[in-house]
Each structure stands twice: as structure tokens, then as C-alpha cells.
Amino acid sequence: MMRWLIVALAPAALAAAALAVAHRRWNAASAELRRRLLAGAAPGEAVFAASSLDGLPVPVARYLREVLRDGQPIPRHVRIDWTGEFNMGRPGNDRWVPFTARQDFVPGAPGFVWDARMRVAGLPIHVRDGFVDGQGSMLGRLLGIFTVVDRRGGEPMAVAALQRCLGEAIWLPAALLPAAGVQWQAIDARRAQATLVAGAARATLEFRFGDDGRVESVYAATRTYDDGRNPPSQHPWQARVLRYGQVDGATVPVDAVVEWLLPSGAFAYWRGRPLRIVPDATAGG
């Protein structure tokens, strides 16, 4: 009887061991990517000076004066813990799946590493996106073992990742300062264009400001849309702030949605909320 019980349980034990090994390897690879990212952090300490906003477009200066304090430290590294939903469906057929994620930003690099977990049909999926050393990447694995997407390298991938890095700076507004490499150009009283360069990649986004002076949305006239079913194509893209609030003492969006503006209409594919925003977190913490 005991022998048959051992034989029956052996496959489950082997599967559990394989999943544990895959989990450790995934975490180790994420830690190594974060290590490389943090190696690009700006040396020394810096503080924000309100005088550095002189000459910026009016809506940009107004926004940064509201969300930053004169003399506050400028973090070299910011970690954000996220919760939200990702749309695994397609236009006209939404299928929202909850996710949790930890994201590390290094404005001085510039770059980020996004490490997320979600479940589809009850099965765990690991997703890791990044922009490190001037290279964009996206990796997704079912159970942490079976690769479902693996894209890295190339100019389009780098530009798309750098656009994301620039747009998500609304959660760490010091990364939008000229000292962080962002070049601003006025459009009108409520819009300004931001440009960020990293290596051979160049990203430009339009920031739109509301009546309260805060960023209302971030817009790209063209961005590479790849649904995994058709050849990649260029379409407008935007991130919209739904609500502002306080997270760990910072005034940031506490609810936002990201969407493609397709010929068939807006297709929202990401909704997220920051749980924690930790400046200068330790690399492994």
C-alpha cells in the first residue's frame, strides 16, 4: 500500500520541485536585471531646487512646483508595488486579469524593471518587462517554465520601453526634471512635449494638464501595437489619470488606465494602482 502511495504521489512531488526551481531561477534573473539597472544610478546625492524650473513651459513648471518640495532629496532609485488588471482579451472582447507587480525605476539610467504575477485559467504567469542598458525586453512564462513571449533588443523595442519609462515618470515626478535628462517644449497653455534620449533610443510624449495643473494624460501620436496575432502596427497611445491621491507622502495618480486608440475605438489594456512608493529601496528588499 505504501509503495503504491509513493508511486501515486511522485509525479506531484516532481512537479512541485520543478515549479520551485523555476521560481528561484526567475527571481534570480530578476535580481540580476535589477542589479544591472541600479548600476546606472546617478552617483552622489541631489536635492530639488524650485529655481531649476525657470524656463520650463508654464504648465510643466506649475505641475512640478505642486508635486515637489523645494529642497527635497531626489531619489536615485524608486520601487513601486502595484496592483491592477491586465486585459488579456482583444478589442471588443475584454478579459481583465488581476495582477500584482514590483517595479524598480532608476531615472539616471534611465531604466526600469517590471516583475509581475497574474493567473490565467487558474495557472500562474510570470511577466518581466524592462529597459536596461538601453535595451528593451519582455518575457512571459507560464508556471515560470514555459515561455509564451520573449522579445528583446532592436530599436522599436527600445523606443517603446523608453516611452513607457518616460510616461510612468508621473509616479516619480523628479524623473521629469531637466536634471534627469528630460527636454521640454511648449505646445500651448495645457500641453507640453517631453523628450528623453537613452543610447540610440529617443522617446517623445505629449503631457496634457488639467484645470488643477496636474497631469491629466500622457499621449503618443504613434507607438508600436503588437497583439501577437497580426503584424505590429503604429497607432496612437495614451495613459489617463483617473484619480490623484497620496501614496507614502507623494502626490501621484492612485488610479490610471492605459489604452490604444485604434481605428475601431479606444482599447484599454492596463489599469493600475500603486500600493507603495519607496525611494532608494535596497536592490534586494
Side-chain angles (χ1 to χ4, degrees), residues 19 22 26 118-127 139-149:
L19 289 176
W26 180 276
M118 61 185 74
R119 283 184 174 271
V120 177
L123 299 175
I125 294 181
H126 295 47
V127 179
L139 178 64
R141 284 183 178 160
L142 178 66
L143 303 173
I145 300 174
F146 305 103
T147 300
V148 293
V149 60

Side-chain angles (χ1 to χ4, degrees), residues 248-267:
D248 292 323
T251 301
V252 295
V254 293
D255 200 1
V257 61
V258 183
E259 54 199 5
W260 292 100
L261 304 180
L262 304 175
S264 58
F267 172 57

Side-chain angles (χ1 to χ4, degrees), residues 193-212:
Q193 180 176 283
T195 299
L196 183 62
V197 177
R202 181 183 182 90
T204 298
L205 295 175
E206 180 180 302
F207 283 68
R208 299 171 174 179
F209 302 84
D211 292 335
D212 58 3

Side-chain angles (χ1 to χ4, degrees), residues 102-211:
R102 171 161 287 185
Q103 188 168 16
D104 291 89
F105 289 94
V106 173
F112 70 90
V113 174
W114 161 279
D115 193 351
R117 303 289 186 274
M118 61 185 74
R119 283 184 174 271
V120 177
L123 299 175
I125 294 181
H126 295 47
V127 179
R128 185 170 58 238
D129 297 342
F131 184 70
V132 179
D133 298 332
Q135 177 176 284
S137 63
M138 177 187 297
L139 178 64
R141 284 183 178 160
L142 178 66
L143 303 173
I145 300 174
F146 305 103
T147 300
V148 293
V149 60
D150 186 0
R151 296 174 187 156
R152 68 189 71 195
E155 182 181 358
M157 192 77 181
V159 171
L162 187 58
Q163 284 177 316
R164 175 176 172 179
C165 194
L166 178 58
E168 292 180 352
I170 57 177
W171 280 282
L172 50 153
L176 293 171
L177 293 169
V182 180
Q183 304 167 33
W184 288 99
Q185 182 177 349
I187 298 176
D188 56 33
R190 294 182 55 161
R191 296 181 300 157
Q193 180 176 283
T195 299
L196 183 62
V197 177
R202 181 183 182 90
T204 298
L205 295 175
E206 180 180 302
F207 283 68
R208 299 171 174 179
F209 302 84
D211 292 335

